[in-house]
């Protein structure tokens, strides 16, 4: 592993499709467009932000044999490994002991130089990384999973793509999930840069992982005592300060749904569009399936209104997990008005 001239550096993320979904549009009562970030090399939008941070680090030290370190066993860790490997650099991931064997196998398969398990929590794993691993490597670069301007700028590139794909037509709203706030900050930065600062943004979280809503309610940045949601990828106890600042603006609405609603979004998306995503992504899709929710949040939204949903993706999902969620939460399935016209309304389990 080494370095390469800047002119030869490939971009570690791709332009993703923006598709209009007939099924989700029928369910929501407006035109729904899906920005398919689940197709990124790492399986999630994280390829953009973390890829951009890694590129920036390489350009700042083009001749150094950099080694990238991150303390995330989830999508950020996969994005770090995938981006670093694509640029011929090493990446090590330090994760807590609670990290599933499923995700460790994914990190190893992606080409991690090492996957180190230590500590009972992310905070303990991160402290070990900083004090005992990174400190011993003068060429080591710490990669924050969400709270860094380079991460936000990388994520913002999807908005430039949206504008081109919509041929400059301004959407009525953009819907995205919020964990630590990297995606949300990127969306807000991109909207401002592209002259779409007035576009509404729905910032979606699950109950038990709603650190943004907690800070908005408190009027200041606060930390959750614990993460109790199954949407582990949204499990940041405290959001980035910039995310809280953006969310305090007039164009942003905080949306908090249950784990059941988020899981329902996952299996309905699988039935309607053949896309497999984790619960952290399903919460954004779920706004289409909750009768009247979108139009309640977006007064004046008509049948021709355009809403872009960022399908942020995520790798912590399998067919087995999807079926488990369906079995656990299927009994609370709501029957959609006109549901017979939506594939997932026909296949949905009825309680």
């Amino acid at each position: 592993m080494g370095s390469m001239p800047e002119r030869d550096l490939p971009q570690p993320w791709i332009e993703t499709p923006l598709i209009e979904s007939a099924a989700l549009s029928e369910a929501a009562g407006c035109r729904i467009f899906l920005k398919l970030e689940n197709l990124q090399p790492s399986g999630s939008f994280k390829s953009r932000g973390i890829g951009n941070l890694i590129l920036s680090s390489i350009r700042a030290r083009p001749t150094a044999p950099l080694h990238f370190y991150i303390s995330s066993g989830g999508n950020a860790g996969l994005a770090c490994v995938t981006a670093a490997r694509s640029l011929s650099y090493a990446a090590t991931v330090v994760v807590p002991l609670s990290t599933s064997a499923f995700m460790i196998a994914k990190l190893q398969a992606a080409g991690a130089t090492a996957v180190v398990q230590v500590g009972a929590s992310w905070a303990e794993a991160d402290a070990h990384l900083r004090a005992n691993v990174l400190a011993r490597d003068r060429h080591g670069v710490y990669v924050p999973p969400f709270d860094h301007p380079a991460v936000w700028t990388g994520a913002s590139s999807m908005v430039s793509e949206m504008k081109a794909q919509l041929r400059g037509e301004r959407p009525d709203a953009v819907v995205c999930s919020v964990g630590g706030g990297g995606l949300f900050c990127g969306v807000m930065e991109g909207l401002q840069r592209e002259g779409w600062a007035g576009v509404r943004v729905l910032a979606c979280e699950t109950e038990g992982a709603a650190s943004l809503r907690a800070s908005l309610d408190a009027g200041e940045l606060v930390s959750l005592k614990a993460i109790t949601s199954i949407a582990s990828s949204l499990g940041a106890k405290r959001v980035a300060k910039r995310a809280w600042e953006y969310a305090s603006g007039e164009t942003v609405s905080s949306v908090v749904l249950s784990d059941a609603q988020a899981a329902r979004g996952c299996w309905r998306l699988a039935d309607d569009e053949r896309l497999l995503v984790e619960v952290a992504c399903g919460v954004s899709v779920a706004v289409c399936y909750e009768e009247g929710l979108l139009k309640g949040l977006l007064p004046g939204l008509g049948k021709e209104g355009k809403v872009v949903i960022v399908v942020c993706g995520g790798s912590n999902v399998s067919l087995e997990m999807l079926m488990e969620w369906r079995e656990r939460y299927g009994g609370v399935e709501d029957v959609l008005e006109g549901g017979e016209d939506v594939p997932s309304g026909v296949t949905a389990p009825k309680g």
Side-chain angles (χ1 to χ4, degrees):
M1 299 281 175
S3 60
M4 59 179 68
E6 180 177 332
R7 66 180 179 277
D8 295 330
L9 289 177
Q11 181 176 280
W13 68 89
I14 64 170
E15 178 176 330
T16 57
L18 181 73
I19 65 168
E20 185 169 3
S21 169
L24 272 72
S25 296
E26 177 68 28
C30 63
R31 297 177 68 188
I32 298 294
F33 295 82
L34 304 177
K35 184 61 172 163
L36 300 182
E37 290 297 292
N38 56 310
L39 300 182
Q40 289 292 351
S42 71
S44 83
F45 76 97
K46 293 281 188 181
S47 286
R48 293 182 187 268
I50 288 179
N52 187 56
L53 185 144
I54 287 175
L55 276 180
S56 299
S57 299
I58 295 170
R59 287 168 177 160
R61 299 166 63 187
T63 62
L66 301 180
H67 190 132
F68 295 93
Y69 294 88
I70 192 168
S71 56
S72 166
N75 298 313
L78 275 171
C80 178
V81 172
T82 303
R85 289 286 297 180
S86 74
L87 294 162
S88 299
Y89 285 81
T92 289
V93 187
V94 179
V95 299
L97 294 169
S98 59
T99 304
S100 70
F102 178 71
M103 289 306 296
I104 289 174
K106 288 207 167 196
L107 290 165
Q108 292 171 333
T113 304
V115 179
V116 180
Q117 281 190 279
V118 63
S121 66
W122 172 82
E124 290 182 15
D126 188 64
H128 176 82
L129 166 59
R130 291 172 183 265
N132 302 306
V133 180
L134 195 60
R136 296 200 299 263
D137 187 348
R138 67 188 183 92
H139 294 299
V141 178
Y142 178 74
V143 180
F146 59 84
D147 196 357
H148 193 284
V151 172
W152 309 335
T153 297
S156 76
S157 62
M158 73 178 70
V159 180
S160 302
E161 293 174 15
M162 290 178 199
K163 187 171 185 178
Q165 291 162 332
L166 289 170
R167 299 180 181 179
E169 292 186 21
R170 178 190 179 105
D172 292 274
V174 175
V175 183
C176 69
S177 299
V178 179
L183 171 59
F184 171 60
C185 287
V187 167
M188 296 301 292
E189 180 180 312
L191 289 174
Q192 291 182 354
R193 184 182 62 244
E194 298 300 331
W196 282 357
V199 170
R200 298 286 304 175
V201 176
L202 305 186
C204 300
E205 302 174 282
T206 52
E207 296 170 357
S211 52
L212 177 61
R213 171 64 69 83
S215 293
L216 290 172
D217 288 346
E220 61 180 344
L221 272 176
V222 298
S223 299
L224 299 178
K225 292 181 179 179
I227 300 297
T228 58
S229 170
I230 65 171
S232 57
S233 294
L234 301 183
K237 292 183 180 180
R238 186 183 182 97
V239 296
K241 180 182 178 183
R242 191 70 183 109
W244 173 66
E245 291 171 346
Y246 275 134
S248 300
E250 295 181 354
T251 62
V252 179
S253 295
S254 168
V255 180
V256 179
L257 301 180
S258 67
D259 280 348
Q261 290 170 307
R264 201 153 63 226
C266 293
W267 75 64
R268 286 199 149 180
L269 184 66
D271 286 350
D272 286 337
E273 293 294 346
R274 306 173 308 284
L275 299 173
L276 191 65
V277 300
E278 61 180 62
V279 179
C281 178
V283 69
S284 288
V285 178
V287 299
C288 294
Y289 295 118
E290 300 300 318
E291 186 177 343
L293 178 59
L294 264 182
K295 292 188 176 180
L297 291 165
L298 303 169
L301 183 69
K303 195 169 182 63
E304 294 303 311
K306 296 183 290 294
V307 175
V308 175
I309 296 178
V310 179
V311 181
C312 55
S315 295
N316 191 22
V317 62
S318 65
L319 287 174
E320 182 180 3
M321 294 166 72
L322 193 70
M323 295 310 296
E324 178 188 340
W325 300 333
R326 193 175 181 123
E327 182 177 351
R328 187 191 310 180
Y329 299 117
V332 296
E333 182 70 57
D334 295 324
V335 179
L336 289 171
E337 181 181 352
E340 297 300 315
D341 296 325
V342 181
S344 63
V346 176
T347 60
K350 303 300 189 289

